[in-house]
Amino acid sequence: MKLASLRHGRDGRLVIVSRDLKTMLPVDQLCPTLQMALDSWTIMAPKLQAVSEALNKGEASGAIAYDATRLHSPLPRAYQWCDGSAYLNHVELVRKARNAVMPPEFLHDPLMYQGGSDDFLPPTADIEVADEAYGIDFEGEVAAITGDVPMGASSAEAAKHIRLLMLVNDVSLRNLIPGELAKGFGFFHGKPSTAFAPVAVTPDELGDAWKDNKVMRPLVSILNGKQFGAPDAGTDMQFSLADLVAHAAKTRRLRAGCIVGSGTVSNRDASKGFSCLAEIRMIETIADGKPKTPFMKFGDRIEMEMTGLDGQSIFGRIDQTVVKYTPPS
């Protein structure tokens, strides 16, 4: 089942999207928003699944043409957004570039921060930034949306509460991050509004590409019309999405609609390319003492997409352009 949210009000209007991403059907009379569906998943999921099956067979009335520009992120805002760092190659490169050793506990204790979740960006919306000097970067990730997760859930238990999967552009302002980390209290200004691909999917939609609670497909990033990277999201992933959900729930319950991200998809095989600019800049720094690849400028465009084993887009496409922020008058 594929679900999305039309841009409408603060929380959107729930729509079901066909498997081939050609049609979508508003179902807000059945369930107004995706958050409401998640809150009543055991009741609503079978009803939505029935409509999804009819839509995929071409038997649903009221279907309209799929149009990503009309869609918001599947959850336009969420109760919680927790982002991990499951790809240790990325973590290791970050530390190596500043001559720091990766602590051994990182092999079994995931990194995670709590991001801002009150104002996500639509998948085709501009990325508004006040100053290019902030060091504008994209980060391609995968993420899970959970149901209610009990505190202290094991990874196996957490896996049962993964409701939906998404793609993420976790926009980062790299030049603001070092100063924030130096304060010893984590990210804030360095992590502005995040965007998600237009369609959230139930894990069964991935077929064999959903294995061990990992998405086993390449995440393609295209920067200014040229492929920047296609690392495989299931390769070199130290912690599965279930592991990350369990980590987030170690000392608290997670409520339905909590989003848990994987961190930047990163493979040790650099020939696969990269999911963020920072990673290639770190490799350049390690090799040459300084980076040569610039961060994003106003007018730069980033696209992200993942296709299934059949070549069909799974989540739709993130397609965003960086623009200068103009404050409201």
Side-chain angles (χ1 to χ4, degrees), residues 115-264:
S117 61
D118 58 324
D119 185 34
F120 294 139
L121 295 176
T124 59
D126 290 338
I127 300 169
E128 298 180 304
V129 182
D131 193 335
E132 288 179 346
Y134 289 170
I136 308 162
D137 200 357
F138 57 90
E139 287 193 67
E141 309 182 13
V142 293
I145 302 178
T146 77
D148 290 326
V149 183
M151 184 171 69
S154 67
S155 292
E157 292 168 337
K160 300 174 184 177
H161 300 287
I162 293 176
R163 302 293 187 233
L164 297 164
L165 302 170
M166 298 190 293
L167 287 188
V168 188
N169 181 15
D170 182 36
V171 181
S172 294
L173 304 178
R174 300 292 187 185
N175 293 339
L176 301 184
I177 289 174
E180 292 194 302
L181 293 181
K183 296 178 182 179
F185 216 53
F187 304 124
F188 194 80
H189 294 139
K191 292 290 187 177
S193 295
T194 303
F196 298 85
V199 179
V201 311
T202 49
D204 61 283
E205 287 288 333
L206 274 70
D208 292 340
W210 177 244
K211 183 179 180 182
D212 299 327
N213 299 300
K214 300 177 182 180
V215 180
M216 313 295 288
R217 295 297 298 159
L219 196 168
V220 177
S221 297
I222 299 170
L223 180 61
N224 294 326
K226 296 182 179 180
Q227 183 166 306
F228 186 79
D232 189 89
T235 301
D236 300 324
M237 190 182 194
Q238 182 73 10
F239 306 103
S240 72
L241 286 170
D243 293 334
L244 294 174
V245 171
H247 182 77
K250 180 176 180 178
T251 61
R252 68 184 75 178
R253 295 173 293 178
L254 305 182
R255 290 307 193 185
C258 174
I259 304 172
V260 178
S262 67
T264 307

Side-chain angles (χ1 to χ4, degrees), residues 98-109:
R98 63 173 190 259
N99 297 313
V101 177
M102 187 172 72
E105 59 266 27
F106 281 18
L107 293 171
H108 55 81
D109 189 20

Side-chain angles (χ1 to χ4, degrees), residues 38-98:
L38 292 161
D39 286 336
S40 305
W41 190 255
T42 55
I43 296 171
M44 292 309 308
K47 296 179 180 179
L48 295 172
Q49 181 64 45
V51 177
S52 175
E53 291 173 2
L55 180 64
N56 285 322
K57 293 177 182 177
E59 299 173 353
S61 60
I64 58 178
Y66 173 81
D67 182 358
T69 65
R70 296 185 61 189
L71 298 175
H72 210 298
S73 284
L75 284 173
R77 58 178 177 170
Y79 289 117
Q80 184 157 236
W81 159 226
C82 306
D83 200 14
S85 193
Y87 300 90
L88 294 191
N89 181 60
H90 179 78
V91 179
E92 189 172 6
L93 286 171
V94 169
R95 299 184 71 85
K96 190 174 181 180
R98 63 173 190 259

